[in-house]
Amino acid sequence: SPASAQSSATKRAVGKAGAEKPEPVVERETPAMYQHPLPGDSGGQVFVTFDGGADADGLVPILEALKARGLKTTFFLTGQWVNAYPDLGRRILAEGHEIANHSMRHPNMAGWGEEKIAQELGKAEQAMQTVLGRRFAPFFRFPFGAQNSRVERIVEKLGYKPVYWNIDTLDWKEPSVASIQQKVRSRVRRGSVILMHVGGKNGPKALPKMLDELLARGFRPGRLSDLDPAGIAALPRG
């Protein structure tokens, strides 16, 4: 709450005769961010998604923040990540989240042909199946967001829905916690796909307040697989 906000508890003042008498109760101020609702404040589904290519430093606090609020989400992980952190992969699934394909080694695939793309995604699938005993969720995120209509069609032919994002927090650059929160606060709309990463430091620190603000504004973060077919078709492609 702002420092200037008055407590709703009754305050007492001493009168001229020395007897205490209650002052009128002052209502707590509405936080400034909610005084002037932004477009899109009608709420609805949003998707706070997390990419993991090699590091996992921030994953545990991310999972704790989501669990504390009863939220599930989608993690885009490479096969390399799944091989490196099998216990964390199992924890992601055990807590009700889903894991989607982010390639095997996180290469730039924008200029690749169908055979090479199929091999890269297939190796990631094999790692997922071997380590965690199941297939990825039916979504794919191109490493670096390096994609075009040609490679998107190849990925769809392989059975995946390519998913881009509407809001890039750039948390991998380690901007300030406040700037991450402000970017989401000012840009979020119903259906937004927010990009974060599991390997950062300030992203996990920004997440609790960010989630609380989304929930307070009527947004409900969820998994991509919670969407109906029309919602999946409307996901951002880049």
Side-chain angles (χ1 to χ4, degrees):
S1 300
S4 61
Q6 296 293 323
S7 170
S8 60
T10 301
K11 294 183 177 180
R12 295 183 178 276
V14 178
K16 293 180 179 179
E20 293 185 352
K21 59 182 179 180
E23 287 184 349
V25 174
V26 178
E27 295 296 329
R28 185 181 299 273
E29 291 180 6
T30 302
M33 73 184 82
Y34 303 136
Q35 289 177 357
H36 305 288
L38 297 167
D41 267 359
S42 55
Q45 277 186 311
V46 294
F47 305 93
V48 185
T49 64
F50 297 89
D51 286 6
D55 299 325
D57 294 344
L59 180 64
V60 171
I62 287 169
L63 290 175
E64 289 174 349
L66 293 167
K67 186 175 183 179
R69 293 156 181 81
L71 301 175
K72 317 297 182 189
T73 194
T74 305
F75 290 84
F76 287 88
L77 305 177
T78 63
Q80 189 175 24
W81 194 101
V82 169
N83 282 334
Y85 307 104
D87 290 341
L88 291 177
R90 283 187 277 270
R91 178 172 173 180
I92 289 171
L93 296 175
E95 295 188 8
H97 308 290
E98 63 187 1
I99 299 177
N101 199 325
H102 194 36
S103 79
M104 183 63 196
R105 303 179 311 277
H106 207 270
N108 184 325
M109 303 164 64
W112 286 17
E114 182 173 346
E115 183 177 353
K116 196 172 182 180
I117 290 175
Q119 289 176 351
E120 181 73 16
L121 272 62
K123 288 177 182 177
E125 278 288 359
Q126 185 176 4
M128 181 73 174
Q129 188 72 50
T130 300
V131 175
L132 299 178
R134 67 175 72 181
R135 287 182 56 84
F136 284 111
F139 305 100
F140 178 75
R141 177 165 282 158
F142 282 92
F144 312 106
Q147 63 195 83
N148 52 59
S149 58
R150 184 185 61 82
V151 291
E152 288 168 3
R153 286 194 296 269
I154 292 173
V155 165
E156 288 178 332
K157 185 177 178 181
L158 294 170
Y160 297 91
K161 170 66 180 177
V163 180
Y164 199 69
W165 52 81
N166 305 108
I167 303 171
D168 187 352
T169 63
L170 297 174
D171 56 344
W172 61 275
K173 291 184 176 182
E174 300 296 356
S176 70
V177 168
S179 69
I180 293 172
Q181 293 164 342
Q182 174 58 24
K183 183 172 286 186
V184 174
R185 182 185 302 133
S186 63
R187 299 184 185 181
V188 67
R189 304 290 183 269
R190 179 178 297 184
S192 289
V193 177
I194 300 163
L195 173 62
M196 301 187 76
H197 295 80
V198 301
K201 297 178 181 178
N202 286 346
K205 292 177 183 177
L207 186 62
K209 182 177 180 180
M210 191 184 93
L211 292 174
D212 288 342
E213 290 182 2
L214 290 172
L215 292 168
R217 290 169 60 180
F219 293 106
R220 184 70 185 178
R223 298 169 297 197
L224 294 173
S225 60
D226 294 334
L227 284 166
D228 59 24
I232 290 175
L235 287 169
R237 293 176 61 102

